[in-house]
Amino acid sequence: HVYLGKALFITYQIDSSQSHFTLALQGLDEKEKAESDASLYLSYIANREAYMQTPEQVTLSPISQVNTPGNESSSCLSLDGQTLFFTSSRKENTGSGKDEAFDMYFQDIWYATWDSSKKAWSEPALLPGDVNTPEHDASLGINPQGDLLFVYKSEQGGNIYYTRRKRTGEYRKPKPMEGQVNTSYFESGASMSADRKKLYIISEREKRSAQGGGDIWILKKESKYAYGEQENPGTPLNSL
């Protein structure tokens, strides 16, 4: 029942998955229930139902200079609001190769700068340096000082890397974040506190404190590029 429940859960057949997780708990004592994945996924479903009771309406406006018929995503803004980093799947990317599995060009990191006189963004350009490759490269976030960019690479399920900006304005070859940042699960999204002591990431790691799906996790600094002592802030920040 647990495996079938998980299969239904990831295909958004929530009611059916809930039934199988409930059946999986029948006959278990309290300790066994607490340790079962069925209880973990039932908590995910409970979080989902609670948040669907209070939906919010939002309005989105496109940035015409940046968008193309391809896929633009994972945007992040420098602290001064002058530079926009984003991920794009377009023919002009490094190598111009296509990911046949998703019928799209391999992603690269691009950037655009704000023109205060025109009140508009500049025409975007590929990020200079050694970051973009013929494979998928995606922007995740930038540190408050603006000299370190977090990068996603599709390795070991999806990991978080970092690249530092040189004095020339080019970016160095990315290196993986250290400590407890990366796991065998999917990691994406990274934001650093102003004092660099905490790193906020999105991860699908399955732990008892997880709320379901991709959660925001807080990690404390251990050394220059290593963060550990992970904490899930729970609800209301995280939900299914």
Side-chain angles (χ1 to χ4, degrees):
H1 286 294
V2 173
Y3 289 114
L4 182 55
K6 287 183 177 181
L8 293 166
F9 181 88
I10 64 175
T11 56
Y12 297 98
Q13 299 179 63
I14 305 301
D15 291 340
S16 296
S17 69
Q18 184 176 24
S19 298
H20 283 281
F21 289 135
T22 302
L23 288 171
L25 296 178
Q26 291 183 359
L28 301 182
D29 59 33
E30 292 305 313
K31 182 181 179 181
E32 291 172 330
K33 287 181 180 180
E35 295 176 348
S36 173
D37 281 352
S39 295
L40 180 64
Y41 277 81
L42 284 172
S43 70
Y44 295 167
I45 294 170
N47 290 332
R48 169 186 179 272
E49 293 175 347
Y51 278 93
M52 288 184 69
Q53 298 301 315
T54 55
E56 296 184 10
Q57 297 293 326
V58 297
T59 300
L60 302 177
S61 300
I63 303 176
S64 58
Q65 297 89 335
V66 169
N67 293 319
T68 68
N71 181 25
E72 279 71 46
S73 61
S74 305
S75 61
C76 56
L77 193 64
S78 61
L79 188 62
D80 61 8
Q82 299 301 300
T83 308
L84 178 69
F85 301 89
F86 64 97
T87 304
S88 181
S89 170
R90 57 181 77 183
K91 188 176 181 179
E92 296 83 0
N93 284 352
T94 306
S96 300
K98 295 193 72 173
D99 185 339
E100 299 300 337
F102 296 97
D103 190 27
M104 62 184 288
Y105 288 102
F106 282 103
Q107 298 168 312
D108 270 354
I109 300 174
W110 291 66
Y111 77 101
T113 55
W114 178 253
D115 188 328
S116 56
S117 62
K118 296 180 179 179
K119 302 295 182 183
W121 291 100
S122 68
E123 289 297 320
L126 278 165
L127 190 73
D130 298 323
V131 177
N132 290 319
T133 69
E135 301 296 323
H136 285 296
D137 305 285
S139 61
L140 296 180
I142 188 169
N143 72 336
Q145 291 72 26
D147 60 352
L148 186 147
L149 186 68
F150 297 106
V151 176
Y152 166 84
K153 286 186 173 293
S154 52
E155 298 182 8
Q156 297 183 358
N159 280 176
I160 298 172
Y161 285 63
Y162 70 91
T163 174
R164 297 198 70 90
R165 188 184 64 212
K166 301 177 183 179
R167 292 181 179 178
T168 60
E170 295 184 336
Y171 285 81
R172 294 177 172 86
K173 184 178 180 179
K175 297 181 179 179
M177 291 294 294
E178 302 168 5
Q180 299 181 40
V181 177
N182 293 313
T183 68
S184 59
Y185 293 95
F186 180 72
E187 272 80 42
S188 65
S191 179
M192 184 181 287
S193 61
D195 59 8
R196 303 193 184 202
K197 291 183 178 180
K198 292 183 179 180
L199 183 68
Y200 300 81
I201 67 170
I202 299 173
S203 175
E204 294 184 2
R205 61 193 68 187
E206 289 188 359
K207 290 191 172 288
R208 290 294 161 189
S209 55
Q211 302 299 303
D215 276 359
I216 297 172
W217 294 79
I218 305 172
L219 293 88
K220 295 182 179 179
K221 186 173 183 178
E222 295 178 338
S223 62
K224 192 170 184 179
Y225 298 113
Y227 286 77
E229 197 177 331
Q230 54 192 310
E231 171 195 351
N232 188 307
T235 55
L237 190 59
N238 287 319
S239 63
L240 179 63

